[in-house]
Amino acid sequence: MAQAVGTRPTTVVAEILYGAFGADIRHLAGKVAAPVLAVAGTEDPTCPPAMSRELAEATGGTAKVLEGTGHLPMLEETDQVAELLRKHLATAQEGRP
């Protein structure tokens, strides 16, 4: 952690952490023009699967929960997330005129 923080002042680090761990975008779901694919990991304490399901439902989208995965499923389960995205995009394109 000390290496990641470096020489940044404690107040700056606190603001960064608050922004990262305190972010909640559910109030923006109604502004999204397309169904969302929300991928969550069961081991993510900041954006739990329930939050992802809520976002997906609000947009008419889909939520996928990856067992044993943390906050960055796109880095932790690259192949699985890529396949989910391919399927989601193919479905979205089928629904277009």
Side-chain angles (χ1 to χ4, degrees):
M1 182 64 128
Q3 192 173 24
V5 170
T7 60
R8 292 180 183 90
T10 303
T11 54
V12 172
V13 174
E15 287 180 37
I16 291 169
L17 291 173
Y18 178 78
F21 293 110
D24 186 347
I25 60 168
R26 288 177 286 184
H27 67 284
L28 300 174
K31 296 182 180 193
V32 177
V36 167
L37 169 64
V39 181
T42 57
E43 304 304 314
D44 184 351
T46 59
C47 299
M51 183 185 285
S52 294
R53 282 191 289 275
E54 189 177 332
L55 284 168
E57 288 172 11
T59 65
T62 306
K64 297 291 183 183
V65 178
L66 304 183
E67 199 65 39
T69 303
H71 184 67
L72 299 171
M74 70 293 262
L75 299 178
E76 297 174 50
E77 297 294 338
T78 307
D79 292 340
Q80 192 173 359
V81 172
E83 183 59 26
L84 289 169
L85 283 170
R86 277 192 283 278
K87 288 178 182 177
H88 181 73
L89 292 171
T91 300
Q93 288 175 342
E94 290 171 6
R96 290 191 174 183

